[in-house]
Amino acid sequence: MADTPDVGFARSRRASLIGAVFLMATSAVGPGFITQTATFTATMGAAFAFGILASILIDLVVQLNIWRVVTVTGMRAPEVANAALPGSGYLLAVLIIIGGLTFNVGNIAGAGLGLNALLGLDTTWGGLISAVIAAGIFSSRRAGVAIDRIIIVLGVLMMAMTVFVAIASNPPVGEALRQTVMPDTINFATITTIVGGTVGGYITYAGAHRLLDRGLGGVDNVETVSKAALRGILVTGLMRYILFLAILGVVASGVIIDVSSQSANPAAQAFQAAAGELGLRAFGLILWAAGITSIIGAAYTSMSFLSAFRPGISEGIRNRATLVFIAISLIAFVSIGTPPAALLVFVGGFNGLILPVGLTLFIYVAWQRSDLMHGHRYPRWLLVSGAVVCALTWYMGFNAIGPIFAFLTPSA
């Protein structure tokens, strides 16, 4: 029996919501996510648990506010910003494109680390080969569909493998839980970096823009969209905490993890220590696949912000701009010379510094521009929590500028 129009619409909407959540989650759970968590767990131990909790709460408030404003207004992020404060959309677009470029340099570095763990290939050559492959996949729609399916399988494998390592490494769970709420130390640079790597730069807008593309804008869809955002953040938050426990167990056992040398690959070292050579190779494949998809996703989404400068830009021009963007990212990766692991940590921090600008614009719209919200009654708790988190991201960013840029010149 054929579906009724209502049933067909419900299925289509559910598929679009799952797609948006998946886009947000895969953007957040990339090479940067993995390397940042491994690096900070290795350097801070159980005290990093508080940073994870803080990042989850901040991510939740940021995502709920931005997804709601984009959905209710029915406009993309630059359009919302320009409508609220003329000209601010151009600033936001420039910042997102710059932040996306740094993200993509890190993604290429992450793919290089993946091939290093998988095949023992030099990270620079691994990054170069990966960027060329990513460009080829993007140019081939059939290959793009295939890689989307492959990454789902590899994502499930990553979760299963991380749970296995978390159990095998026998982490001090009690100490981790204590320091989640009563940390021995609080490091603003780590929190800013983790937040930036999860919802900084283009990531926070990627899922919301996908929903608009699927016709899910408007007040009628706002509650459903909010639930989707909530699920996405909770899934990535749970994944981050399990990864933290897996690496904490390795660190607590006395294994010394290299986080700063040119060949450092912190997460790979942890997985090798817990699961042996097979664990190292499997992790390399997963990290490489995450890097490849992140290269494509960061480039394509960043270039979607070109519409702020050229409304109605054709898909062909945007696709060519995406390939140029990948090429520029590759040149920057080869030229910088910063160790790949340190580079992956830096790009999260840099996008964490950009985050408050866009968040401020969206909180302003939520508070003061009811004309753009079509009479929608914005939840008071979300307004207040959004304003508090906005102020907090500015404060943390100001205090973290020095430490974040220091990641570009790590000690030998």
Side-chain angles (χ1 to χ4, degrees):
M1 180 183 294
D3 291 335
T4 65
D6 286 345
V7 172
F9 172 75
R11 287 185 175 178
S12 176
R13 185 174 73 167
R14 183 165 59 250
S16 296
L17 289 169
I18 292 172
V21 170
F22 181 74
L23 179 60
M24 182 186 71
T26 53
S27 295
V29 188
F33 158 89
I34 296 167
T35 304
Q36 291 157 17
T37 301
T39 298
F40 293 139
T41 303
T43 55
M44 296 182 65
F48 181 52
F50 174 79
I52 293 176
L53 175 62
S55 71
I56 293 172
L57 295 177
I58 292 171
D59 291 356
L60 185 61
V61 173
V62 170
Q63 205 74 75
L64 285 175
N65 273 286
I66 289 180
W67 277 38
R68 180 175 289 261
V69 171
V70 168
T71 301
V72 172
T73 61
M75 295 186 287
R76 290 177 175 270
E79 297 168 352
V80 173
N82 274 334
L85 291 174
S88 62
Y90 303 126
L91 171 64
L92 180 62
V94 168
L95 290 176
I96 294 301
I97 291 172
I98 292 174
L101 181 63
T102 64
F103 255 131
N104 231 24
V105 174
N107 290 333
I108 293 173
L113 286 175
L115 285 185
N116 175 259
L118 177 63
L119 303 173
L121 195 65
D122 177 78
T123 52
T124 300
W125 278 105
L128 193 155
I129 292 170
S130 299
V132 172
I133 292 174
I137 291 172
F138 178 77
S139 300
S140 170
R141 293 187 177 182
R142 183 172 299 177
V145 172
I147 201 70
D148 281 345
R149 293 173 180 170
I150 291 170
I151 196 61
I152 293 175
V153 175
L154 290 173
V156 172
L157 176 62
M158 175 68 183
M159 287 186 274
M161 189 175 174
T162 302
V163 171
F164 168 75
V165 172
I167 295 172
S169 66
N170 192 28
V173 177
E175 178 65 8
L177 292 176
R178 182 188 72 81
Q179 298 228 39
T180 300
V181 293
M182 297 177 59
D184 291 341
T185 181
I186 298 176
N187 188 315
F188 288 125
T190 63
I191 298 174
T192 300
T193 298
I194 289 296
V195 169
T198 309
V199 293
Y202 77 94
I203 293 175
T204 192
Y205 307 104
H209 284 182
R210 182 185 177 100
L211 291 174
L212 289 187
D213 291 340
R214 296 296 181 270
L216 290 178
V219 176
D220 292 343
N221 292 306
V222 69
E223 293 305 324
T224 304
V225 167
S226 294
K227 289 178 182 177
L230 176 62
R231 285 194 292 268
I233 288 294
L234 292 181
V235 167
T236 55
L238 178 63
M239 186 64 189
R240 187 181 294 278
Y241 203 84
I242 293 173
L243 178 62
F244 156 71
L245 288 176
I247 297 168
L248 179 63
V250 173
V251 172
S253 71
V255 174
I256 304 299
I257 294 180
D258 176 18
V259 299
S260 62
S261 74
Q262 188 67 38
S263 60
N265 194 343
Q269 294 170 56
F271 273 71
Q272 182 178 24
E277 194 70 16
L278 179 61
L280 173 66
R281 303 306 177 191
F283 174 80
L285 175 62
I286 292 165
L287 186 63
W288 180 75
I292 285 287
T293 54
S294 294
I295 291 169
I296 297 170
Y300 183 78
T301 307
S302 297
M303 289 298 90
S304 72
F305 277 77
L306 288 176
S307 61
F309 305 99
R310 187 173 176 179
I313 185 173
S314 70
E315 184 177 357
I317 293 176
R318 192 166 62 189
N319 287 348
R320 287 194 289 274
T322 300
L323 293 174
V324 172
F325 191 85
I326 293 174
I328 294 173
S329 303
L330 175 59
I331 293 170
F333 165 70
V334 174
S335 302
I336 289 174
T338 298
L343 195 57
L344 279 164
V345 176
F346 166 75
V347 298
F350 183 79
N351 280 278
L353 297 178
I354 290 175
L355 175 64
V357 179
L359 183 57
T360 299
L361 290 168
F362 276 77
I363 295 300
Y364 167 71
V365 171
W367 273 99
Q368 299 294 330
R369 295 303 303 269
S370 59
D371 57 313
L372 299 177
M373 303 292 287
H374 308 296
H376 173 63
R377 285 179 59 85
Y378 213 91
R380 181 64 57 177
W381 71 269
L382 195 54
L383 281 173
V384 173
S385 60
V388 170
V389 165
C390 185
L392 183 61
T393 56
W394 278 110
Y395 176 76
M396 291 193 307
F398 179 78
N399 284 279
I401 291 176
I404 285 172
F405 277 89
F407 287 128
L408 286 177
T409 54
S411 57

